Each structure stands twice: as structure tokens, then as C-alpha cells.
């Protein structure tokens, strides 16, 4: 059984720990089932910003007349937008994985792990032991306890990245920054969007002036319901 000074589970934020450990010449192992890189390059910051870039282009064209420019949108090719996003996202994880595999200071165990004893985990039928084990496996989308939610095909901020067609309508439950980013994107490309936020403002972590300005601008484009809690979903036909 291989023994390490440091074992890090998760290749997103966990890479900060890996970097520090190898800098201090500690024997280090990294465990991840993939895709390498964690949320930001694969499911978060980078894919969402690429989609927002497309939405910004659409909105600039729609608002171009106030700058003395008359223009119009001939077609929004949703599959091409998603292909463009994937084109930049997919190689990032691959390049990061290759970089980790080439780094002789790190032993990389690619697969799911299980704790089998004190300070001991098993991955790919191999047991490894760490004097220190850091669990940095990230977060998952929270599915709120809404009645009947399990009976419908809902989307999360992760699964919507695999959409093949533009949804005609969309209800977004929550009004944080991720909800707001995707509300902006889907409204821009032609989806009728409604936001339900149980708090009294959007992006509650921001300054009140920013939150209020965002709400004012969004209300020009979509329906915003604050102080509103979703309690049940009901499937109607399809």
C-alpha cells in the first residue's frame, strides 16, 4: 500500500492544496473521477461566460439603433452556440489532465474513491494512505424540496449545458448570480423566462443598488417574482 504525506480528493480548488504540498516537497497524491479541473472550467465559470458572450452579442444587435446603427438578427443557431462553448471547454480538462499526468511530483489516481480504514482510501482497487487527507470534491446543485419535483424533467445549471434545442419557456427557481446569468442568456436567445426568488431581491450577496438595477433591467425583458416560493410542480400534457 502506497503511503503519502498528503492525499487530495478533487482537482478543482483541491489543486491549490496540491500545489502547496509539492512546493513543500511533500509526497502527494491526487484523486479525482473526472472531468479534471472541477466546476469552474467544466460546468461553471468558463462555459457560462462563453454563453453569456453570445447573449451579449444578441443584446448589442437588438439595442444597436440607439447608437445610430440599424441591424437585425437573421437567425440564432442554438446548436452552433453550444458547439462553440464545448469547443473551448472540452480541451481545458484534457490539457489539465495531461499536465497532471506529466508532473512527476504528483501521483494521480483517476476514479471513484472509498474510505476503507482510518486515513486509508481505495480507488481502482488500490489502497492508499495519507497522513493528511483533504476532501475538496466540490458542490452539487441543490434540488429544493418542491412537491412532485421528482416527477418532471427539470434542469440544473449543469444539465442545461447539454441542451440541444432552445426551450420555448423557462421558469428559473432562485435569483442568485447563476440564475441571473442563465436568465440573461436564455432570454437573449428567445426563451420566455420567469424567475421565482423567495427572497426580496435578486443576487442578494451584491450591493442593494446593484441588485435593484439588475431587477429593473431584467423586468424590461422577463417576468421577475420576488418574495415568491415554489411549493409544487404539476405536469400538464407534455
Amino acid at each position: 500500500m502506497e503511503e503519502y504525506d498528503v492525499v487530495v480528493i478533487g482537482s478543482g480548488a483541491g489543486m491549490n492544496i496540491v500545489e502547496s504540498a509539492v512546493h513543500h516537497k511533500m509526497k502527494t497524491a491526487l484523486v479525482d473521477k473526472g472531468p479534471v479541473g472541477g466546476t469552474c472550467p467544466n460546468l461553471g465559470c468558463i462555459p457560462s461566460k462563453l454563453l453569456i458572450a453570445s447573449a451579449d452579442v444578441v443584446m448589442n444587435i437588438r439595442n444597436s439603433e440607439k447608437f445610430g446603427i440599424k441591424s437585425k438578427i437573421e437567425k440564432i443557431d442554438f446548436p452552433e452556440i453550444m458547439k462553440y462553448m464545448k469547443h473551448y471547454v472540452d480541451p481545458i480538462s484534457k490539457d489539465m489532465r495531461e499536465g497532471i499526468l506529466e508532473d512527476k511530483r504528483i501521483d494521480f489516481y483517476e476514479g471513484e474513491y472509498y474510505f476503507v480504514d482510518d486515513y486509508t482510501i481505495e480507488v481502482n482497487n488500490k489502497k492508499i494512505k495519507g497522513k493528511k487527507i483533504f476532501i475538496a470534491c466540490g458542490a452539487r446543485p441543490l434540488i429544493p424540496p418542491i412537491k412532485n419535483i421528482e416527477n418532471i424533467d427539470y434542469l440544473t445549471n449543469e444539465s442545461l449545458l447539454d441542451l440541444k434545442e432552445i426551450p420555448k419557456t423557462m421558469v428559473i427557481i432562485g435569483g442568485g448570480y447563476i440564475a441571473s446569468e442563465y436568465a440573461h442568456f436564455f432570454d437573449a436567445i428567445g426563451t420566455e423566462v420567469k424567475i421565482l426568488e423567495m427572497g426580496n431581491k435578486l443576487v442578494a450577496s451584491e450591493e442593494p443598488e446593484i441588485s435593484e438595477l439588475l431587477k429593473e433591467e431584467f423586468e424590461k425583458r422577463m417576468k421577475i417574482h420576488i418574495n415568491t416560493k415554489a411549493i409544487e410542480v404539476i405536469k400538464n400534457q407534455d
Side-chain angles (χ1 to χ4, degrees):
M1 180 168 58
E2 200 75 35
E3 296 189 11
Y4 295 91
D5 298 313
V6 172
V7 175
V8 177
I9 299 165
S11 64
M15 289 305 295
N16 295 325
I17 304 170
V18 170
E19 183 179 354
S20 181
V22 297
H23 175 73
H24 288 90
K25 296 183 170 32
M26 294 177 169
K27 188 176 180 183
T28 305
L30 173 66
V31 180
D32 197 301
K33 67 177 182 178
V36 170
T39 297
C40 185
N42 295 293
L43 300 166
C45 320
I46 293 176
S48 69
K49 300 310 176 290
L50 286 164
L51 296 180
I52 287 169
S54 296
D56 288 347
V57 171
V58 171
M59 296 308 296
N60 284 336
I61 294 171
R62 286 183 182 168
N63 296 321
S64 66
E65 195 162 345
K66 68 182 181 182
F67 298 103
I69 302 167
K70 291 187 177 181
S71 59
K72 65 178 181 178
I73 298 169
E74 295 288 344
K75 178 185 178 184
I76 292 177
D77 190 335
F78 182 71
E80 192 62 30
I81 290 173
M82 301 304 277
K83 181 181 175 182
Y84 168 80
M85 179 265 294
K86 298 274 188 185
H87 171 75
Y88 284 97
V89 167
D90 291 346
I92 296 174
S93 179
K94 179 183 176 184
D95 291 345
M96 289 182 69
R97 180 179 177 274
E98 289 176 358
I100 291 168
L101 289 171
E102 290 172 3
D103 193 331
K104 303 304 179 185
R105 301 170 301 170
I106 306 167
D107 286 349
F108 182 36
Y109 294 85
E110 196 169 14
E112 291 193 5
Y113 72 94
Y114 306 89
F115 278 91
V116 292
D117 206 344
D118 290 347
Y119 297 95
T120 306
I121 64 174
E122 182 175 311
V123 55
N124 298 334
N125 297 317
K126 293 180 182 178
K127 291 181 181 179
I128 62 175
K129 194 165 188 173
K131 294 177 183 176
K132 293 188 188 311
I133 298 177
F134 294 88
I135 303 175
C137 56
R140 302 291 180 270
L142 172 67
I143 310 304
I146 299 171
K147 186 177 178 182
N148 292 330
I149 189 74
E150 69 279 0
N151 296 323
I152 65 162
D153 294 326
Y154 59 82
L155 297 166
T156 70
N157 62 299
E158 296 181 0
S159 60
L160 65 77
L161 295 175
D162 294 320
L163 282 173
K164 301 294 189 290
E165 297 179 356
I166 301 176
K168 292 180 180 178
T169 61
M170 177 178 286
V171 174
I172 299 178
I173 299 173
Y177 73 92
I178 296 175
S180 298
E181 286 179 343
Y182 285 121
H184 168 55
F185 169 67
F186 282 102
D187 169 83
I189 63 171
T191 301
E192 180 187 325
V193 175
K194 291 183 177 70
I195 294 179
L196 309 183
E197 166 55 47
M198 66 179 179
N200 62 2
K201 59 182 180 179
L202 300 180
V203 289
S205 60
E206 299 297 332
E207 293 292 329
E209 295 85 356
I210 298 295
S211 175
E212 187 57 35
L213 179 60
L214 177 66
K215 181 172 177 289
E216 288 177 10
E217 290 300 316
F218 268 10
E219 284 179 328
K220 297 173 184 176
R221 302 165 51 187
M222 63 192 81
K223 295 288 186 181
I224 308 292
H225 301 275
I226 60 171
N227 299 313
T228 303
K229 186 175 181 180
I231 57 172
E232 182 177 4
V233 292
I234 299 168
K235 186 170 183 178
N236 257 337
Q237 299 175 354
D238 58 354

Coordinates of all heavy atoms in Angstrom, one line a residue, residues 131-183:
K131 N -1.2 10.8 5.5 CA -1.1 11.4 6.8 C -2.1 12.5 7.0 O -2.7 12.6 8.0 CB 0.3 11.9 7.0 CG 1.4 10.9 7.1 CD 2.8 11.6 7.2 CE 3.9 10.5 7.2 NZ 5.3 11.1 7.2
K132 N -2.3 13.2 5.9 CA -3.4 14.1 5.8 C -4.2 13.9 4.5 O -3.6 13.7 3.5 CB -2.9 15.6 5.8 CG -2.2 16.0 7.1 CD -1.9 17.5 7.0 CE -1.0 18.0 8.2 NZ -1.4 17.5 9.5
I133 N -5.5 13.9 4.7 CA -6.4 13.7 3.5 C -7.4 14.9 3.4 O -8.1 15.2 4.4 CB -7.2 12.4 3.6 CG1 -6.3 11.2 3.6 CG2 -8.2 12.3 2.4 CD1 -7.0 9.8 3.8
F134 N -7.3 15.6 2.3 CA -8.2 16.7 2.1 C -9.3 16.4 1.1 O -9.1 15.9 0.0 CB -7.4 17.9 1.5 CG -6.3 18.4 2.4 CD1 -5.0 17.9 2.5 CD2 -6.6 19.5 3.3 CE1 -4.1 18.4 3.3 CE2 -5.6 20.0 4.1 CZ -4.4 19.4 4.2
I135 N -10.6 16.5 1.6 CA -11.7 16.3 0.7 C -12.1 17.6 0.1 O -12.7 18.5 0.8 CB -12.9 15.6 1.5 CG1 -12.4 14.3 2.2 CG2 -14.1 15.4 0.6 CD1 -13.5 13.7 3.0
A136 N -11.8 17.8 -1.2 CA -12.2 19.0 -1.9 C -13.0 18.6 -3.2 O -12.6 19.0 -4.3 CB -10.9 19.8 -2.3
C137 N -14.0 17.8 -2.9 CA -14.7 17.3 -4.1 C -15.9 18.2 -4.6 O -16.6 17.8 -5.5 CB -15.3 15.9 -3.8 SG -16.3 15.8 -2.3
G138 N -16.0 19.4 -4.1 CA -16.8 20.4 -4.6 C -18.3 20.2 -4.2 O -18.7 19.4 -3.4
A139 N -19.1 21.1 -4.8 CA -20.5 21.1 -4.5 C -21.4 20.5 -5.6 O -20.9 20.3 -6.7 CB -21.0 22.6 -4.3
R140 N -22.6 20.3 -5.4 CA -23.6 19.8 -6.4 C -24.8 20.7 -6.4 O -25.1 21.3 -5.4 CB -24.0 18.3 -6.0 CG -22.8 17.3 -5.9 CD -22.2 17.1 -7.3 NE -21.1 16.1 -7.1 CZ -19.8 16.4 -6.9 NH1 -19.5 17.7 -6.7 NH2 -18.9 15.5 -6.8
P141 N -25.5 20.7 -7.5 CA -26.7 21.5 -7.5 C -27.7 21.1 -6.4 O -27.9 19.8 -6.2 CB -27.3 21.3 -8.9 CG -26.2 20.8 -9.7 CD -25.3 20.1 -8.8
L142 N -28.3 22.0 -5.7 CA -29.3 21.7 -4.6 C -30.6 21.6 -5.3 O -31.1 22.5 -5.9 CB -29.3 22.8 -3.6 CG -30.4 22.7 -2.5 CD1 -30.2 21.4 -1.7 CD2 -30.5 23.9 -1.7
I143 N -31.3 20.5 -5.1 CA -32.7 20.3 -5.7 C -33.6 20.6 -4.5 O -33.7 19.8 -3.5 CB -32.9 18.9 -6.2 CG1 -31.8 18.4 -7.2 CG2 -34.3 18.8 -6.8 CD1 -31.6 19.4 -8.3
P144 N -34.4 21.7 -4.6 CA -35.2 22.1 -3.4 C -36.4 21.1 -3.2 O -36.8 20.4 -4.2 CB -35.7 23.5 -3.8 CG -35.6 23.5 -5.3 CD -34.4 22.6 -5.7
P145 N -36.9 21.0 -2.0 CA -37.9 20.0 -1.7 C -39.3 20.5 -2.2 O -40.2 20.8 -1.4 CB -37.9 19.9 -0.2 CG -37.4 21.2 0.3 CD -36.4 21.7 -0.8
I146 N -39.5 20.6 -3.5 CA -40.7 21.1 -4.1 C -41.6 19.8 -4.4 O -41.1 18.9 -5.0 CB -40.5 21.9 -5.4 CG1 -39.6 23.1 -5.0 CG2 -41.8 22.3 -6.0 CD1 -39.1 23.9 -6.2
K147 N -42.8 19.9 -4.0 CA -43.7 18.7 -4.2 C -43.8 18.4 -5.7 O -43.9 19.2 -6.6 CB -45.1 19.1 -3.7 CG -46.1 17.9 -3.8 CD -47.5 18.4 -3.2 CE -48.5 17.2 -3.3 NZ -49.8 17.6 -2.8
N148 N -43.6 17.1 -6.0 CA -43.7 16.5 -7.3 C -42.4 16.8 -8.2 O -42.4 16.4 -9.4 CB -44.9 16.9 -8.1 CG -46.2 16.3 -7.5 OD1 -46.2 15.2 -6.9 ND2 -47.3 17.0 -7.6
I149 N -41.4 17.4 -7.7 CA -40.3 17.8 -8.5 C -39.6 16.5 -9.1 O -39.1 16.6 -10.2 CB -39.2 18.6 -7.7 CG1 -38.1 19.2 -8.6 CG2 -38.6 17.7 -6.6 CD1 -38.5 20.3 -9.4
E150 N -39.7 15.4 -8.4 CA -39.1 14.2 -8.9 C -39.8 13.6 -10.1 O -39.3 12.7 -10.8 CB -39.0 13.1 -7.8 CG -40.3 12.5 -7.3 CD -41.0 13.4 -6.4 OE1 -40.5 14.5 -6.0 OE2 -42.1 13.0 -5.9
N151 N -41.0 14.1 -10.4 CA -41.8 13.6 -11.5 C -41.7 14.4 -12.8 O -42.4 14.1 -13.7 CB -43.3 13.5 -11.0 CG -43.5 12.6 -9.9 OD1 -42.9 11.5 -9.8 ND2 -44.4 12.9 -9.0
I152 N -40.9 15.4 -12.8 CA -40.7 16.2 -14.0 C -39.2 16.2 -14.5 O -38.3 15.9 -13.7 CB -41.2 17.6 -13.9 CG1 -40.3 18.4 -12.9 CG2 -42.6 17.7 -13.5 CD1 -40.4 19.9 -13.0
D153 N -39.0 16.5 -15.7 CA -37.6 16.6 -16.3 C -37.1 18.0 -16.1 O -37.1 18.8 -17.0 CB -37.6 16.2 -17.8 CG -38.0 14.8 -18.0 OD1 -37.7 13.9 -17.1 OD2 -38.7 14.5 -19.0
Y154 N -36.7 18.3 -14.9 CA -36.1 19.6 -14.6 C -34.6 19.7 -15.0 O -34.0 18.6 -15.2 CB -36.2 19.9 -13.1 CG -35.5 19.0 -12.2 CD1 -34.2 19.1 -11.9 CD2 -36.2 17.9 -11.5 CE1 -33.5 18.2 -11.1 CE2 -35.6 17.1 -10.7 CZ -34.2 17.2 -10.4 OH -33.6 16.3 -9.6
L155 N -34.2 20.9 -15.2 CA -32.8 21.1 -15.5 C -32.0 21.7 -14.3 O -32.6 22.3 -13.4 CB -32.7 22.1 -16.6 CG -33.3 21.7 -18.0 CD1 -33.4 23.0 -18.9 CD2 -32.4 20.6 -18.6
T156 N -30.7 21.5 -14.2 CA -29.9 22.2 -13.3 C -28.9 23.0 -14.1 O -28.8 22.9 -15.3 CB -29.1 21.2 -12.4 OG1 -28.1 20.5 -13.2 CG2 -30.0 20.2 -11.8
N157 N -28.1 23.8 -13.4 CA -27.1 24.6 -14.1 C -26.0 23.7 -14.8 O -25.3 24.2 -15.6 CB -26.4 25.5 -13.1 CG -25.6 24.8 -12.0 OD1 -26.2 24.1 -11.2 ND2 -24.3 25.0 -11.9
E158 N -26.0 22.4 -14.4 CA -25.1 21.5 -15.1 C -25.7 20.9 -16.3 O -25.2 20.9 -17.4 CB -24.6 20.4 -14.1 CG -23.8 21.0 -12.9 CD -23.3 19.9 -12.0 OE1 -23.6 18.7 -12.2 OE2 -22.6 20.3 -11.0
S159 N -26.9 20.3 -16.1 CA -27.6 19.6 -17.2 C -28.0 20.5 -18.4 O -28.1 20.0 -19.5 CB -28.7 18.8 -16.7 OG -29.7 19.6 -16.1
L160 N -28.3 21.7 -18.1 CA -28.7 22.6 -19.2 C -27.6 22.8 -20.2 O -27.8 23.2 -21.4 CB -29.2 24.0 -18.7 CG -28.3 24.9 -18.0 CD1 -27.4 25.7 -18.9 CD2 -29.1 25.9 -17.2
L161 N -26.3 22.5 -19.8 CA -25.2 22.7 -20.8 C -25.3 21.6 -21.9 O -24.5 21.7 -22.9 CB -23.9 22.6 -20.1 CG -23.6 23.7 -19.1 CD1 -22.3 23.5 -18.3 CD2 -23.5 25.1 -19.8
D162 N -26.2 20.6 -21.7 CA -26.3 19.6 -22.7 C -27.6 19.7 -23.6 O -27.9 18.8 -24.3 CB -26.3 18.2 -22.0 CG -25.0 17.9 -21.4 OD1 -23.9 18.2 -22.0 OD2 -24.9 17.3 -20.3
L163 N -28.3 20.8 -23.4 CA -29.5 21.1 -24.2 C -29.2 21.1 -25.7 O -28.1 21.6 -26.1 CB -30.2 22.4 -23.8 CG -31.0 22.4 -22.5 CD1 -31.4 23.8 -22.2 CD2 -32.2 21.5 -22.6
K164 N -30.1 20.6 -26.5 CA -29.9 20.5 -27.9 C -30.8 21.5 -28.7 O -30.6 21.9 -29.8 CB -30.2 19.1 -28.5 CG -29.3 18.0 -27.9 CD -27.8 18.2 -28.3 CE -27.0 17.0 -27.9 NZ -26.7 16.9 -26.5
E165 N -31.9 22.0 -28.0 CA -32.8 22.9 -28.6 C -33.1 24.0 -27.6 O -33.1 23.8 -26.4 CB -34.2 22.2 -28.9 CG -34.0 21.1 -30.0 CD -35.3 20.4 -30.3 OE1 -36.3 20.7 -29.6 OE2 -35.3 19.5 -31.2
I166 N -33.5 25.2 -28.1 CA -33.9 26.3 -27.3 C -35.2 26.0 -26.6 O -36.2 25.7 -27.3 CB -34.0 27.6 -28.1 CG1 -32.7 27.9 -28.8 CG2 -34.4 28.8 -27.2 CD1 -32.8 29.2 -29.7
P167 N -35.3 26.1 -25.3 CA -36.6 25.9 -24.7 C -37.5 27.1 -25.0 O -37.1 28.2 -25.1 CB -36.3 25.9 -23.2 CG -34.8 25.7 -23.1 CD -34.2 26.2 -24.3
K168 N -38.8 26.8 -25.2 CA -39.7 27.9 -25.5 C -40.0 28.8 -24.3 O -40.1 30.0 -24.4 CB -41.1 27.4 -26.1 CG -40.9 26.7 -27.4 CD -42.3 26.2 -27.9 CE -42.2 25.5 -29.3 NZ -43.5 25.0 -29.7
T169 N -40.1 28.1 -23.2 CA -40.4 28.8 -21.9 C -39.5 28.2 -20.8 O -39.1 27.0 -20.9 CB -41.8 28.7 -21.4 OG1 -42.2 27.3 -21.2 CG2 -42.8 29.3 -22.5
M170 N -39.2 29.0 -19.8 CA -38.3 28.5 -18.7 C -38.7 29.2 -17.4 O -38.8 30.5 -17.4 CB -36.9 28.7 -19.1 CG -35.9 28.3 -18.0 SD -34.1 28.6 -18.5 CE -33.9 27.2 -19.6
V171 N -38.9 28.5 -16.4 CA -39.0 29.0 -15.0 C -37.7 28.7 -14.3 O -37.3 27.6 -14.2 CB -40.2 28.4 -14.3 CG1 -40.3 28.9 -12.8 CG2 -41.5 28.7 -15.0
I172 N -37.1 29.8 -13.8 CA -35.9 29.6 -13.0 C -36.2 29.8 -11.6 O -36.6 30.9 -11.2 CB -34.8 30.6 -13.5 CG1 -34.5 30.3 -15.0 CG2 -33.5 30.5 -12.6 CD1 -33.4 31.3 -15.6
I173 N -35.9 28.8 -10.8 CA -36.2 28.9 -9.3 C -34.9 29.3 -8.6 O -33.9 28.6 -8.6 CB -36.7 27.5 -8.8 CG1 -38.0 27.1 -9.5 CG2 -36.9 27.6 -7.3 CD1 -38.5 25.7 -9.1
G174 N -35.0 30.5 -8.1 CA -33.8 31.1 -7.5 C -33.3 32.4 -8.3 O -33.5 32.4 -9.5
G175 N -32.8 33.3 -7.6 CA -32.4 34.6 -8.2 C -31.0 35.0 -7.9 O -30.7 36.2 -7.9
G176 N -30.1 34.0 -7.7 CA -28.7 34.3 -7.4 C -28.0 34.6 -8.7 O -28.6 34.8 -9.8
Y177 N -26.6 34.7 -8.6 CA -25.9 35.1 -9.8 C -25.9 34.0 -10.9 O -26.0 34.4 -12.1 CB -24.4 35.4 -9.4 CG -23.6 34.3 -9.1 CD1 -22.8 33.6 -10.1 CD2 -23.5 33.8 -7.8 CE1 -21.9 32.6 -9.8 CE2 -22.6 32.7 -7.5 CZ -21.9 32.1 -8.5 OH -21.1 31.1 -8.1
I178 N -26.0 32.7 -10.6 CA -26.0 31.7 -11.6 C -27.4 31.7 -12.3 O -27.5 31.7 -13.5 CB -25.8 30.3 -11.0 CG1 -24.4 30.2 -10.5 CG2 -26.0 29.2 -12.1 CD1 -24.1 28.9 -9.7
A179 N -28.4 31.9 -11.5 CA -29.8 32.0 -12.1 C -29.8 33.2 -13.0 O -30.4 33.2 -14.1 CB -30.8 32.2 -11.0
S180 N -29.2 34.3 -12.6 CA -29.3 35.6 -13.4 C -28.5 35.5 -14.7 O -28.9 36.0 -15.7 CB -28.8 36.8 -12.5 OG -29.6 36.9 -11.4
E181 N -27.4 34.8 -14.6 CA -26.6 34.6 -15.8 C -27.4 33.8 -16.9 O -27.4 34.2 -18.0 CB -25.3 33.8 -15.5 CG -24.3 34.6 -14.7 CD -23.0 33.8 -14.4 OE1 -23.1 32.6 -14.4 OE2 -22.0 34.4 -14.1
Y182 N -28.0 32.7 -16.4 CA -28.7 31.9 -17.4 C -30.0 32.6 -17.8 O -30.5 32.3 -18.9 CB -28.9 30.5 -16.9 CG -27.6 29.7 -17.0 CD1 -27.0 29.2 -15.8 CD2 -27.0 29.5 -18.2 CE1 -25.8 28.5 -15.9 CE2 -25.8 28.8 -18.3 CZ -25.2 28.3 -17.1 OH -24.0 27.6 -17.2
A183 N -30.6 33.3 -17.0 CA -31.8 34.1 -17.4 C -31.5 35.1 -18.5 O -32.2 35.2 -19.5 CB -32.4 34.9 -16.2

